[in-house]
Amino acid sequence: SGNDSHCLATKKLGSISIVEKIYKSDANFLLVKVKNANDTYTYLAQKGIIVRNRNNVTLCGNCLRITIGLAHENEQLIVHLQTFAENN
């Protein structure tokens, strides 16, 4: 179900070193605070993964809005974030 993929994505994202906080959400997206939102956003975009950079929004410094997609999309996001984290 959608809720299962939400929980799984949250758990996997939380294990990545650059992820500082995941804000609780019942929507189909997560607001995720990372060490450097601009660099992370650029890296993901270069890999063809589109997230919303919320770094310039009040109270959302270094936050990315990540839509919970299909399982293989979520997995691709996790893999790329882990790779980025290992190299930054």
Side-chain angles (χ1 to χ4, degrees):
S1 74
N3 202 27
D4 291 342
S5 57
H6 203 286
C7 291
L8 190 59
T10 300
K11 187 174 179 182
K12 288 185 175 181
L13 283 168
S15 70
I16 300 172
S17 63
I18 61 167
V19 172
E20 296 181 348
K21 181 171 183 163
I22 301 169
Y23 294 89
K24 193 164 174 55
S25 169
D26 293 325
N28 70 334
F29 62 84
L30 296 170
L31 189 64
V32 180
K33 183 171 186 178
V34 294
K35 287 198 171 113
N36 187 321
N38 292 338
D39 288 353
T40 306
Y41 171 83
T42 299
Y43 177 82
L44 290 174
Q46 289 169 347
K47 299 296 179 186
I49 296 176
I50 306 305
V51 298
R52 301 267 181 237
N53 188 348
R54 293 292 179 244
N55 190 41
N56 295 326
V57 177
T58 303
L59 301 178
C60 291
N62 275 324
C63 285
L64 300 174
R65 189 184 120 170
I66 298 172
T67 299
I68 304 299
L70 301 172
H72 73 275
E73 294 169 329
N74 295 342
E75 197 54 45
Q76 198 176 33
L77 168 73
I78 300 296
V79 167
H80 285 305
L81 275 176
Q82 286 171 329
T83 302
F84 180 75
E86 288 163 11
N87 294 299
N88 287 278

